[in-house]
Amino acid sequence: MKNLYVKFIVITIGMILLSFIMAFIISNAYYQQKLKPYNDDKNTKVALDIAAFAEEHPEIGVQEYLKSISRVGYRICLIDNGGHRTYFGEPFRDKSLSHSVQQQVLEGHIFHGMLHFPKQTFVTGFFADELRNTIGVPLKANGSTYALFIRPDIEFLFNEMHILFAWILAIAIFLTIVMVLIYTRYLVKPISNMTKATKSLAGGDFQVKLDSTRHDELGELSRNFMRMAEKLAQMEDMRKEFISNISHDIQSPLSNIKGYTNLLDTESISKEERNQYISIINNEITRLSTLTKQLLLLASLDRNKEIMKEKPFHLGKQLKELVRNHQWAISEKEIMLSYSLPDLEIVADPSLLNTVWDNLLSNAIKYNKPNGSIEISIEEKEETVIVRLADTGIGMTEAELDRIFDRFYRADQARTRTVEGTGLGLSIVKTIIDLHGGTIQVISKENEGTTFVVELPR
Ligand SMILES: Nc1ncnc2c1ncn2[C@@H]1O[C@H](COP(=O)(O)OP(=O)(O)OP(=O)(O)O)[C@@H](O)[C@H]1O
Ligand SMILES: [Mg+2]
């Protein structure tokens, strides 16, 4: 059974059948234990009543009387002293009856054939129209003794009401099966659709559409599935964009280098021009080198998380040293830098964190305004440490803020074009902070400034 639909239906019908069998076995046990003796008892009373009535009213005539009794739903066998049998009502299917039983009844004993009928199934027990499955009582009339054997005529008693119940049962079963067929289709359909969607995903088509209006687990699965497909599509786009960005960022310095080396080759250039070209080539090579370093760092951060080498070190000291290294650029741009850096020891990877502060500080310098300011502070919390880096620079819009951690993203090209950069800095920062289990938040207002808040576990 490969198909879920078929499986479901077969199991449901199997369950219906199984319930029937179980119900049958249980009611059979009930019949054997309780109903059978009760039935025997009830019919014994009826037989005794019939015999008593016949005895008390000799004027009616035994034969006539029994004939009329048989018409209300009884099968009767009357045996006289000489063993001669007379039947009333529908004939018995099996007329065998041992001689000793006849004899005992004629002698005045009661025969409980119903109670002692072989313990077979419910059907053969209750429905067997056999002479052995009767109640036998002695009957005295007109001076002679008879043995009277009776049992209810099940076929006769199986009247309209019973047929009606049988129909109700049959229709209910039929409708159950039909509804199971329909409902199962409704239940299984989303799964088949999802299978199709998975195949299309595997084939590279991320545009999947699933029914997400259901409120059950399948609806939720569909919604999550579509979300996943969306994310995959985004990642695929990012991958393509990433490759095209890398290619562009490698290609443009290379073509610059090629152009200026060609120019250097011409003999008519002055010494000044030559120096200028060499300096440009040098810058482009530095740019390429930075780019490759950043890419290598990102790749190794992505690939193995075990790259982190955590150890205790002084955070305040690290930041002060960083400021000292950038002092030249800070004073060149005439930026006011203030800091409050208490010495504080944390456990983290010092070299990776240095990359983080370096990126944040060089951004704060790069995207600052002349005569702007930068403020660095450390705040100590119970389990974390918060580093704040605020600048009064060009700031960013909401839309730009959303994307600054994306690889190669650089905000508004018109404003940042004059500033060197690859757009990888902040994505490296974010990756490193994530690796440390920390968080980074940005508060920024266009033309007013930006504050980065980094929180790290100690
Ligand atoms: N302090 C800041 N003030 C204003 N804009 C900023 C600030 N920091 C980052 N940005 C914006 O976010 C963009 C992404 O920053 P990121 O550091 O990732 O790249 P980059 O500085 O352009 O290049 P890289 O750091 O790789 O040399 C920047 O191009 C800039 O537009
Ligand atoms: Mg940067």
Side-chain angles (χ1 to χ4, degrees):
M1 278 189 286
K2 275 183 264 165
N3 191 319
L4 190 62
Y5 180 64
V6 176
K7 209 182 246 176
F8 206 92
I9 286 165
V10 169
I11 289 174
T12 310
I13 294 175
M15 280 190 313
I16 294 176
L17 283 179
L18 192 72
S19 334
F20 264 103
I21 294 170
M22 301 272 283
F24 184 78
I25 292 171
I26 292 167
S27 50
N28 189 31
Y30 178 68
Y31 169 76
Q32 298 290 357
Q33 293 301 320
K34 287 265 154 55
L35 279 186
K36 203 164 147 178
Y38 171 78
N39 199 27
D40 184 279
D41 199 43
K42 191 177 79 181
N43 281 293
T44 306
K45 280 195 187 109
V46 171
L48 287 172
D49 277 352
I50 293 172
F53 190 88
E55 277 169 37
E56 282 160 23
H57 301 276
E59 72 281 2
I60 294 177
V62 179
Q63 307 276 339
E64 280 306 310
Y65 174 54
L66 291 182
K67 202 187 248 171
S68 76
I69 291 285
S70 74
R71 284 201 202 101
V72 297
Y74 280 95
R75 294 181 194 222
I76 301 173
C77 174
L78 189 70
I79 305 177
D80 67 14
N81 237 333
H84 177 73
R85 297 180 180 188
T86 320
Y87 294 98
F88 303 90
E90 291 297 310
F92 289 97
R93 194 170 52 78
D94 184 340
K95 291 178 180 145
S96 60
L97 189 72
S98 76
H99 191 71
S100 66
V101 170
Q102 279 180 43
Q103 214 46 49
Q104 273 174 9
V105 177
L106 283 170
E107 281 165 16
H109 297 284
I110 295 176
F111 169 60
H112 291 282
M114 286 188 173
L115 186 64
H116 301 120
F117 195 71
K119 261 202 175 106
Q120 285 171 9
T121 54
F122 179 75
V123 185
T124 45
F126 187 74
F127 294 94
D129 280 322
E130 296 179 22
L131 193 47
R132 282 183 303 149
N133 193 12
T134 55
I135 298 293
V137 291
L139 187 151
K140 287 196 180 71
N142 307 325
S144 43
T145 310
Y146 300 93
L148 171 70
F149 294 89
I150 71 157
R151 65 170 277 104
D153 185 354
I154 297 300
E155 266 172 46
F156 182 83
L157 292 175
F158 229 103
N159 54 21
E160 296 75 11
M161 211 52 203
H162 293 86
I163 292 170
L164 203 69
F165 278 127
W167 269 108
I168 290 174
L169 193 68
I171 292 171
I173 293 172
F174 175 74
L175 287 181
T176 306
I177 291 174
V178 170
M179 282 189 282
V180 164
L181 285 174
I182 296 169
Y183 186 70
T184 309
R185 190 149 281 263
Y186 169 75
L187 209 65
V188 169
K189 200 160 181 199
I191 298 178
S192 327
N193 285 346
M194 233 170 289
T195 314
K196 262 188 234 146
T198 329
K199 277 187 194 142
S200 95
L201 270 196
D205 176 13
F206 298 104
Q207 297 301 322
V208 291
K209 215 66 238 84
L210 292 170
D211 170 25
S212 54
T213 51
R214 289 171 71 124
H215 294 295
D216 54 6
E217 285 84 346
L218 283 174
E220 186 163 340
L221 186 63
S222 300
R223 284 190 289 279
N224 286 339
F225 191 90
M226 288 206 292
R227 223 168 288 149
M228 185 188 76
E230 236 167 69
K231 264 258 149 353
L232 281 174
Q234 270 174 15
M235 273 163 64
E236 178 68 7
D237 286 347
M238 264 166 68
R239 194 182 63 86
K240 285 181 185 152
E241 198 184 307
F242 188 67
I243 291 175
S244 88
N245 278 328
I246 293 181
S247 319
H248 173 263
D249 277 32
I250 291 175
Q251 192 51 46
S252 74
L254 281 180
S255 52
N256 279 349
I257 291 169
K258 190 171 160 45
Y260 284 106
T261 35
N262 283 346
L263 282 178
L264 278 181
D265 221 16
T266 47
E267 274 165 24
S268 58
I269 53 167
S270 68
K271 192 157 187 247
E272 272 158 38
E273 281 172 319
R274 179 182 303 272
N275 285 344
Q276 194 199 342
Y277 297 161
I278 290 177
S279 145
I280 291 173
I281 291 174
N282 220 341
N283 279 344
E284 292 294 21
I285 291 174
T286 316
R287 213 172 117 190
L288 268 181
S289 159
T290 317
L291 175 68
T292 16
K293 266 190 220 142
Q294 284 180 321
L295 281 175
L296 277 174
L297 179 60
L298 259 183
S300 61
L301 286 174
D302 280 349
R303 211 166 337 106
N304 54 347
K305 316 278 181 223
E306 290 84 51
I307 180 174
M308 285 228 296
K309 288 185 189 67
E310 289 182 298
K311 62 176 188 197
F313 69 96
H314 295 281
L315 183 63
K317 237 182 185 173
Q318 184 179 50
L319 282 163
K320 276 179 203 155
E321 200 171 312
L322 185 83
V323 171
R324 212 171 305 134
N325 292 342
H326 284 80
Q327 199 59 59
W328 176 78
I330 294 169
S331 40
E332 194 193 42
K333 256 196 143 178
E334 295 180 348
I335 293 170
M336 267 274 299
L337 188 135
S338 59
Y339 55 72
S340 119
L341 301 171
D343 203 17
L344 183 76
E345 203 178 58
I346 65 164
V347 180
D349 185 317
S351 136
L352 288 180
L353 278 194
N354 197 53
T355 313
V356 169
W357 315 133
D358 189 61
N359 268 303
L360 293 181
L361 184 59
S362 47
N363 279 354
I365 299 168
K366 275 200 288 187
Y367 305 111
N368 219 315
K369 292 186 254 183
N371 297 316
S373 68
I374 297 174
E375 217 181 294
I376 311 174
S377 66
I378 298 181
E379 191 190 326
E380 202 178 337
K381 288 253 163 122
E382 208 163 288
E383 286 177 3
T384 57
V385 47
I386 298 177
V387 178
R388 275 199 187 77
L389 217 138
D391 66 57
T392 54
I394 58 172
M396 285 171 274
T397 63
E398 287 276 322
E400 288 167 349
L401 268 182
D402 273 352
R403 298 203 53 199
I404 53 169
F405 295 113
D406 290 354
R407 292 177 184 188
F408 288 109
Y409 178 75
R410 304 199 70 210
D412 186 9
Q413 300 287 326
R415 283 186 300 138
T416 50
R417 187 176 40 199
T418 46
V419 189
E420 280 284 321
T422 56
L424 285 174
L426 284 181
S427 59
I428 293 174
V429 166
K430 175 98 172 85
T431 315
I432 294 174
I433 287 169
D434 283 349
L435 274 181
H436 279 85
T439 57
I440 180 164
Q441 283 170 20
V442 204
I443 306 142
S444 187
K445 212 157 185 202
E446 220 182 347
N447 290 320
E448 281 185 22
T450 310
T451 305
F452 282 89
V453 183
V454 177
E455 185 161 12
L456 290 168
R458 298 173 69 176

